[in-house]
Amino acid sequence: MTLGFVVIGCFMLLMMLGVPVTIAIGIGTVAGLFWANLMDFSLVFPQQIIEGASKPALLAIPFFILAGNLMNAVGMTDKIFNFALALIGNVRAGLAYVNVVASLIFAGVSGAATADIAGLGQIEVRAMRKRGYSHEFAAALTVATSLVGPIVPPSISLIVYAWLANESVARLFLAGIVPGLLVAASFIAYIRVMCVFQEMPREEPRSMASIKNAVLQGVPALVAPGIILGAIIFGFATATEAGVIACVYTLLVGLAYRVLTFDMLWNSLKESALLSALIMMIIGASQTMGWLFAFEQVPQAFATGFLDTIDSRTLFLVFVVVLLIVIGCFMEATPAKIILLPLLLPAADAFGIDRVQFGMIITLALLIGIATPPMGVGLYLMSAVSGVKFERLSIAVLPLLIPPVVALILITAFPIITLWLPDLVMGPANR
């Protein structure tokens, strides 16, 4: 256990000093290798980085990133927003509801919160400001609703969890549908309550011709999630192949809309390559830390300590939720998951917690950190996109964290929310 404290303590110290996460993981791991007297780390470190980043299951990640960037490039985000506006815009606080629904639809295509913020962020904030919403509220709501992205399939975060926990991607994707709808519903309920206590703008009625045009333009975006999820669930494609299908489908839509250009394609490829390389470097460096923990049997010692200290499943889940929300405030979700999951999973297995449900709890708890100061990456990105100062955005987003926290509590307390749909479609897993 001492090794674990050395590695994680060194890592957290470097993170607080502002060192980039990949370098912090690497230095923390090297410190652990010295502590464990594994002097031949010059061979271990690069080997584990390559092994961690070259897993076949992770090939889906760059394709879904590319699909999200292509959709932003060809204007599918505008069409998603217009469709949601035509569907529910003509009510009090209509654009606030549209913000939630548009994020839910876009989540079914991109699988990443940052893609949601970058794609829909400018459109939603600009439209809400034009209709009289405060700049801070519009930006904060967009950040908060982006949390739906990594829960609703296809989800890059769930692909990473499936690789770490040796779980079925299809089962995890199915498990994310109801929790994703629950998070979206919690935001809608929150907005409805806000309407009681403060005045919210009402959208002007739209003509039937305008609504019909918006629906027809939005159909291609609505079809994409069904194609992707159906291909995986019914065995027509793996998660990686589904990512390729998403990219090809988006290219065809761009050609059909006659908006796709070579520059758009090239810029999307460059942005996707850069982000994919960053994620794979984080995964590779985290793999080295995971290997060191496994070699020194840190997870087993950690689980034994849990079982000796905490003898209640409920208390364990409460501890995990609080721990992950706090860690998510200071650390990105992917490295946090890679580092903590080997430590927490044996204890979760000992308490009889289903790995699919545990994956949803971990994913949502860490996601809340995206919109939580001081390290919330979503806040920094939205600040850059919207022009709202980070400090003002950090304060405005705090009340909007209530809906996802309530949803997280419900998902943690009632496993059926997560497990009902995968058990219905694929049959109960061997638990």
Side-chain angles (χ1 to χ4, degrees):
M1 283 294 289
T2 305
L3 174 67
F5 288 121
V6 170
V7 175
I8 294 177
C10 183
F11 167 75
M12 293 301 294
L13 176 62
L14 291 170
M15 286 292 293
M16 287 187 287
L17 292 174
V19 176
V21 62
T22 308
I23 297 174
I25 293 172
I27 294 175
T29 303
V30 170
L33 289 167
F34 272 112
W35 183 273
N37 291 321
L38 297 173
M39 300 305 293
D40 198 16
F41 68 89
S42 59
L43 294 177
V44 171
F45 201 76
Q47 286 174 350
Q48 291 302 316
I49 288 178
I50 294 171
E51 182 178 342
S54 61
K55 299 290 185 183
L58 301 176
L59 278 173
I61 293 175
F63 288 112
F64 282 118
I65 291 173
L66 177 59
N69 285 330
L70 286 172
M71 286 171 190
N72 288 336
V74 302
M76 284 182 70
T77 47
D78 297 84
K79 292 171 176 59
I80 289 172
F81 181 79
N82 289 332
F83 170 80
L85 184 60
L87 189 68
I88 59 169
N90 187 28
V91 295
R92 189 179 171 194
L95 273 181
Y97 293 124
V98 167
N99 195 312
V100 178
V101 174
S103 293
L104 182 64
I105 296 172
F106 190 70
V109 186
S110 71
T114 51
D116 186 342
I117 295 171
L120 287 169
Q122 285 182 317
I123 302 168
E124 292 172 336
V125 172
R126 185 169 57 247
M128 291 180 74
R129 285 284 293 138
K130 186 177 179 180
R131 295 299 301 158
Y133 293 85
S134 74
H135 204 174
E136 292 81 4
F137 174 75
L141 181 63
T142 303
V143 173
T145 56
S146 72
L147 300 181
V148 178
I151 304 172
V152 175
S155 165
I156 294 171
S157 189
L158 291 180
I159 292 172
V160 173
Y161 178 83
W163 162 61
L164 290 169
N166 195 27
E167 266 295 338
S168 163
V169 173
R171 183 171 287 275
L172 281 164
F173 277 10
L174 278 170
I177 294 175
V178 177
L181 292 172
L182 177 63
V183 174
S186 68
F187 278 116
I188 290 173
Y190 178 85
I191 294 167
R192 182 69 187 88
V193 171
M194 282 187 64
C195 289
V196 176
F197 297 99
Q198 65 183 75
E199 186 64 30
M200 288 282 200
R202 180 187 292 271
E203 295 305 298
E204 298 176 358
R206 301 181 63 173
S207 66
M208 285 302 299
S210 175
I211 293 173
K212 182 180 178 180
N213 182 62
V215 170
L216 290 175
Q217 291 286 319
V219 165
L222 298 176
V223 171
I227 294 174
I228 296 167
L229 190 58
I232 296 173
I233 292 171
F234 296 109
F236 296 116
T238 64
T240 302
E241 291 164 347
V244 176
I245 291 171
C247 293
V248 173
Y249 178 83
T250 308
L251 288 172
L252 292 175
V253 170
L255 291 172
Y257 287 152
R258 297 182 179 180
V259 295
L260 183 65
T261 64
F262 178 78
D263 286 341
M264 285 182 182
L265 180 60
W266 179 247
N267 289 332
S268 297
L269 288 169
K270 284 196 300 182
E271 291 173 11
S272 302
L274 288 171
L275 183 55
S276 298
L278 175 62
I279 292 174
M280 290 305 176
M281 275 301 298
I282 292 173
I283 289 174
S286 302
Q287 166 76 13
T288 310
M289 186 179 289
W291 173 87
L292 178 60
F293 284 165
F295 186 83
E296 293 293 317
Q297 296 187 331
V298 174
Q300 291 84 344
F302 196 79
T304 301
F306 255 124
L307 296 175
D308 290 341
T309 307
I310 301 175
D311 58 0
S312 165
R313 170 193 170 110
T314 302
L315 192 59
F316 170 74
L317 286 173
V318 170
F319 173 81
V320 168
V321 167
V322 174
L323 173 69
L324 292 176
I325 289 177
V326 172
I327 287 178
C329 295
F330 298 93
M331 187 177 178
E332 292 182 28
T334 298
K337 193 175 292 184
I338 294 171
I339 292 169
L340 293 174
L341 194 58
L343 303 177
L344 297 174
L345 203 56
D349 290 339
F351 282 112
I353 300 169
D354 188 278
R355 287 194 172 193
V356 172
Q357 187 211 4
F358 196 61
M360 208 55 57
I361 293 169
I362 285 181
T363 299
L364 182 52
L366 287 173
L367 276 176
I368 292 173
I370 290 177
T372 307
M375 297 290 288
V377 64
L379 295 176
Y380 286 101
L381 181 56
M382 177 48 66
S383 179
V385 167
S386 66
V388 179
K389 289 185 178 180
F390 179 82
E391 296 79 9
R392 292 163 59 192
L393 182 58
S394 298
I395 295 172
V397 81
L398 292 178
L400 290 162
L401 296 179
I402 295 173
V405 169
V406 171
L408 176 59
I409 293 170
L410 292 174
I411 291 167
T412 305
F414 302 103
I416 193 171
I417 295 174
T418 299
L419 303 177
W420 170 75
L421 189 57
D423 285 353
L424 177 68
V425 176
M426 304 180 68
N430 296 323
R431 301 187 182 106

